[in-house]
Amino acid sequence: MHSHLHAPFSIRLGDQVPEDMKTIKCTGVRAILVKDNKLLMMKSNRGDYKFPGGGMEEGEDEVTALAREIREETGYTDFVIAGLAGTVIQAHPDIYLTDAWYYQTSPYYLVILKSDATQPLALTEDEIDHGFHAVWTTPKEAIQANEAVPINPFLNFYIERENLVLQVVQDRWMPKEETLHAND
């Protein structure tokens, strides 16, 4: 992996929140973890992929929340959060409240795995119901799988966001195809 940080990427999805509109704001931190030319992703029982991570709990900063989420979802315990890779902002009418907008900030951090040390998983009931499990894959494989899964705003609204970030990861931190085959 090219572990050096580039200037953080910035992606915006959706529309501007209308003035005077009730807004539901949340932050979900995400990990970009690459090892041996593979990316650690969370795969659901529908076949789609998302980056490990999740919401911040009361009193947590982004790095503390991300470290907790990595341990809970992947089991890995020996890693370094190297720095902010970029941010995605999503804004759209809320799917539950007709008089509100949903506004999510998703900072993505580069994470370096120092060893394969693990602890037992601590998945949420929702993550268990959707069959989420950590898998090593390539960005290309994850994008192709995500494109084959129908988007349901109640289940996997994250697919568009994750595919955009997967493309950035592929372009910035993964070896180019020709480089991989040059050593065969």
Side-chain angles (χ1 to χ4, degrees):
M1 171 174 106
H2 309 289
S3 61
H4 64 280
L5 287 174
H6 294 76
F9 63 82
S10 179
I11 299 171
R12 182 166 182 97
L13 293 171
D15 302 310
Q16 286 290 106
V17 177
E19 287 187 38
D20 302 326
M21 179 63 76
K22 178 179 169 184
T23 306
I24 299 163
K25 292 185 177 187
C26 68
T27 299
V29 292
R30 318 271 176 227
I32 299 172
L33 210 158
V34 180
K35 178 183 170 190
D36 299 329
N37 301 324
K38 298 277 185 166
L39 184 63
L40 188 63
M41 299 291 291
M42 300 302 294
K43 185 176 182 182
S44 80
N45 56 14
R46 293 176 303 278
D48 59 48
Y49 291 85
K50 68 177 183 171
F51 287 88
M56 296 169 52
E57 293 180 358
E58 187 72 31
E60 286 183 325
D61 61 22
E62 290 177 2
V63 172
T64 303
L66 184 59
R68 176 185 49 76
E69 288 285 348
I70 292 168
R71 288 189 301 272
E72 289 175 356
E73 292 184 358
T74 72
Y76 286 110
T77 58
D78 192 16
F79 53 84
V80 173
I81 299 174
L84 181 66
T87 303
V88 178
I89 294 175
Q90 291 173 273
H92 52 78
D94 190 77
I95 59 176
Y96 299 105
L97 302 172
T98 56
D99 64 339
W101 273 60
Y102 180 78
Y103 186 94
Q104 179 171 315
T105 303
S106 297
Y108 287 76
Y109 285 85
L110 272 181
V111 178
I112 299 167
L113 192 61
K114 293 171 52 179
S115 77
D116 289 331
T118 59
Q119 68 179 28
L121 300 179
L123 298 174
T124 66
E125 192 174 308
D126 193 49
E127 290 164 341
I128 293 167
D129 288 348
H130 294 290
F132 279 108
H133 58 286
V135 295
W136 292 97
T137 187
T138 66
K140 183 178 181 180
E141 291 167 342
I143 290 168
Q144 288 173 341
N146 281 352
E147 288 176 345
V149 175
I151 294 178
N152 178 329
F154 296 96
L155 292 175
N156 57 9
F157 65 91
Y158 50 79
I159 286 180
E160 180 183 13
R161 176 191 74 219
E162 300 300 57
N163 278 358
L164 291 169
V165 176
L166 282 161
Q167 189 62 57
V168 171
V169 169
Q170 183 170 286
D171 294 346
R172 289 188 176 189
W173 292 291
M174 302 300 286
K176 302 296 179 234
E177 291 277 335
E178 57 274 7
T179 306
L180 291 175
H181 298 299
N183 298 325
D184 290 346

